C-alpha cells in the first residue's frame, strides 16, 4: 500500500522573519496546518488525490492570507483577474480557467472544465459563462478585495513597480505575491495537482502567468510526479517547469529530488526566475524546494500531524 | 556553417484527394510553395530565424485558405477568436496572445509581447489594448470572415458538431480545421517557432487550444529543436507535445525523428489525439510527421526550391 500524502503551498517570495510579525506568522502557520490537516484527513478517509487537492486549494482560495480567491492581489485597474488549473495524474485529464473575475473558487471552475467539457482551458467571460451554465454562481469582483491588497497596489503604484511601462525590464520582486497550490498521492496510487492565483499586484489586465497552464505551473502524471509551482510565472512558462520535472525523471532517470533541484536551483535562476514548487512522486516521496527567501508550505502524510514551513 | 531551413504547415486533419478538388489543391500548393519560398529567400539573405517565422506565419494568416487570421473559423457565436505564439530559441523568450478579436495579425502581436513586455501571454481585451498601445491597429472582427468558413459553421450546427453540449465527449473530427505554423534554423544556428490559429469551428467562446501555449503548440530552443503543432489541441496541451520532443532529445537522447515519432505516432494517439507537427533541430534536420489523413506542409533549405506536401 502506498503512503498517501498531501503537500500545499501559499506562495514564494521575499518572505523573511524581518518582515513578518509574530502574530502574522502565527496566522499563516495555523492556516497552513489546518488545510494540510484537512487534506490528510480526507486521504485517510479514502478520498482520491483529485478530490483532496481540489478541497485544499478551495480552502486556500477562501483564506484571505493567500493570493488566490479572496485576498487576491489587484490589477493595475483595481480589479481582480483569477487563474486556476487542476490535473488528474490517472487520466491525464486537465482543466483550467484564466482571467475570470466573477467565480468565487476558480479551482472549482477548473475542475468543471476537466470533468464537464472536452476542453482544457477556458478564458474570461467564456469561462464564466461555462461555469454558470454548470451551476456556479457569479459573484461581484469586489468579493476578492481586502484592505491589505489594496494598500499593496497603492504602494506598487507609488514605487513605480508597475507592469504598464512596457519596458521589457525584469519583473519587480515586490509585485510577486505568490500563488497557492496542492499536490497529493492517494492510497490507490493516484497523483493530482492544482494551482490557483490572483496573479501579480498592479499587473497589466489580460496578463496570464504559469498557474493555469498545464506543464508550466501545474502537472500530474501517475507514471511520474505531481507538481504545483509558485514564483516568477513567465520563467516557469518558458521552462515548462512542472512538466520538466516529470521529463527529467522519466527520460533522464533523475530522482524526484535531483529533478526538482535541477529545475529550481539551476534552470529557473539561469533565466532570472525565482520561486519554488511542491512535488510528490508515485512512491510518496515529497520535496518543497525554493530559491527565494521563503515559501509558505506544509505537508502531511495520512495519519500524521502536518509539518509547516515558511522560511529557509 | 549550418544549413538554414524553413518549414511551414497549414493544418492537419481529414484532408484527402477525395475531398479536395484539383483546383483547390492547386491553390494550396501555390500558397504553401510561395510562403516557404519567401522564407528560404529571407534566410538566404541573412534574416534570422525569428524574423523568418514571423513573416511566414503573417503570410499564412493573410491567406484565406488557412485557419488563422483572414479565413479563420467561426465560434458558436459567429465571431472569430484568434490565438498565436512565437518563441526565440536563442533567448528562450516567448510571446503569445489568446482570444483576440480585433488584431489583423496575431503573430505580430505575439512578437510584440515577446519584445516589448516582461510577459509571455496576454489574453482578450488586455492583449488588444497592449498591441494598440504599441502601434497596432484595431480591425473589425468581420475582417476575418469568409463565406466558406460561415458555411462550415452552418454545417457544423446542422450536424450537431457543436462544442456547447458540455458532454465531455471527444471532439468531432469535422470541427478541427487546423492551425498554421513555421519553424526555422538560420545560418547563425538560431532556431525559432511560431503558431497561429482561429481555433475550432463552432467552438465555445473562450476556449483556448494548444496554439498560443509555449511547450504545447510551439517551442524553440537553440540547444535542441523548434516545433510547431496542429491537431486536437487539448491532447497536445495535456502531453506538452512541442516541449516533449525537446525533452526526449535532450534528456532521452533520441534523434529528432525518433522523438517526433514517439510523440505523434505513440503518445498523442494514446490519448485520442490526432494531428501533426513540423520540427527542425539545431543541425538542420527537418521532419513533418502526422497521424491524420493529411497535413498542408512545405519546407525549403536556403537556396533550394520548396517541397510541398498535402496527403500521406
Amino acid at each position: 500500500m502506498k503512503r498517501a500524502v498531501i503537500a500545499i503551498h501559499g506562495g514564494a517570495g521575499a518572505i523573511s522573519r524581518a518582515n513578518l510579525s509574530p502574530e502574522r506568522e502565527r496566522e499563516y502557520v495555523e492556516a497552513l496546518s489546518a488545510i494540510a490537516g484537512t487534506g490528510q484527513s480526507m486521504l485517510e478517509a479514502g478520498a482520491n488525490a483529485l478530490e483532496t487537492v481540489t478541497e485544499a486549494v478551495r480552502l486556500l482560495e477562501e483564506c484571505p492570507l493567500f493570493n488566490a480567491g479572496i485576498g487576491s492581489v489587484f490589477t493595475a485597474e483595481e480589479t481582480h483577474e483569477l487563474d486556476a488549473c487542476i490535473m488528474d495524474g490517472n487520466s491525464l485529464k486537465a482543466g483550467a480557467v484564466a482571467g475570470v473575475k466573477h467565480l468565487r473558487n476558480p479551482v472549482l471552475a477548473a475542475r468543471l472544465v476537466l470533468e464537464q467539457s472536452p476542453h482544457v482551458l477556458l478564458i474570461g467571460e467564456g469561462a464564466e459563462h461555462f461555469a454558470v451554465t454548470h451551476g456556479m454562481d457569479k459573484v461581484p469582483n469586489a468579493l476578492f478585495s481586502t484592505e491589505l491588497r489594496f494598500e499593496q497596489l497603492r504602494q506598487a503604484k507609488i514605487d513605480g513597480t508597475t507592469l504598464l511601462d512596457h519596458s521589457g525590464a525584469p519583473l519587480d520582486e515586490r509585485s510577486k505575491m505568490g500563488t497557492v497550490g496542492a499536490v497529493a498521492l492517494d492510497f490507490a496510487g493516484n497523483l493530482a495537482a492544482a494551482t490557483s492565483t490572483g496573479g501579480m499586484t498592479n499587473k497589466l489586465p489580460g496578463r496570464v502567468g504559469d498557474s493555469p497552464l498545464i506543464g508550466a505551473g501545474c502537472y500530474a502524471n501517475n507514471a511520474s510526479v505531481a507538481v504545483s509551482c509558485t514564483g516568477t510565472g513567465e520563467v516557469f512558462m518558458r521552462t515548462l517547469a512542472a512538466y520538466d520535472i516529470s521529463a527529467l525523471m522519466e527520460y533522464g532517470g533523475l530522482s524526484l529530488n535531483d529533478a526538482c533541484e535541477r529545475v529550481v536551483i539551476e534552470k529557473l535562476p539561469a533565466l532570472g526566475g525565482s520561486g519554488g514548487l511542491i512535488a510528490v512522486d508515485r512512491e510518496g516521496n515529497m520535496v518543497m524546494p525554493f530559491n527565494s527567501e521563503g515559501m509558505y508550505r506544509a505537508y502531511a502524510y495520512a495519519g500524521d500531524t502536518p509539518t509547516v514551513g515558511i522560511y529557509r
Side-chain angles (χ1 to χ4, degrees), chain A residues 6-24:
Chain A
I6 178 165
I8 61 172
H9 70 79
I15 307 160
S16 66
R17 278 198 178 78
N19 58 28
L20 202 64
S21 70
E23 188 188 335
R24 196 79 171 158

Side-chain angles (χ1 to χ4, degrees), chain A residues 125-205:
Chain A
E125 289 175 15
E128 291 172 355
H129 180 76
F130 171 83
V132 168
T133 303
H134 285 78
M136 288 185 76
D137 292 328
K138 280 187 94 160
V139 297
N141 195 244
L143 173 76
F144 305 114
S145 302
T146 60
E147 274 182 40
L148 173 67
R149 298 303 188 198
F150 193 75
E151 174 55 28
Q152 287 173 339
L153 174 66
R154 210 182 58 80
Q155 199 58 46
K157 292 199 169 184
I158 289 171
D159 295 348
T161 59
T162 165
L163 299 178
L164 293 171
D165 61 4
H166 311 147
S167 62
L171 302 172
D172 190 280
E173 203 46 61
R174 286 161 294 186
S175 307
K176 292 177 238 147
M177 293 308 302
T179 304
V180 308
V183 294
L185 173 71
D186 64 29
F187 282 115
N190 295 307
L191 290 165
T195 306
S196 179
T197 191
M200 306 172 77
T201 295
N202 206 17
K203 72 180 175 183
L204 199 63

Side-chain angles (χ1 to χ4, degrees), chain A residues 8 20 22-36 65-66 296-298 306-311:
Chain A
I8 61 172
L20 202 64
E23 188 188 335
R24 196 79 171 158
E25 179 184 306
R26 198 177 324 116
E27 290 174 11
Y28 276 107
V29 169
E30 282 172 10
L32 291 163
S33 181
I35 295 168
L65 291 169
F66 304 106
Y296 299 112
R297 61 200 188 276
T307 301
V308 177
I310 296 180
Y311 318 109

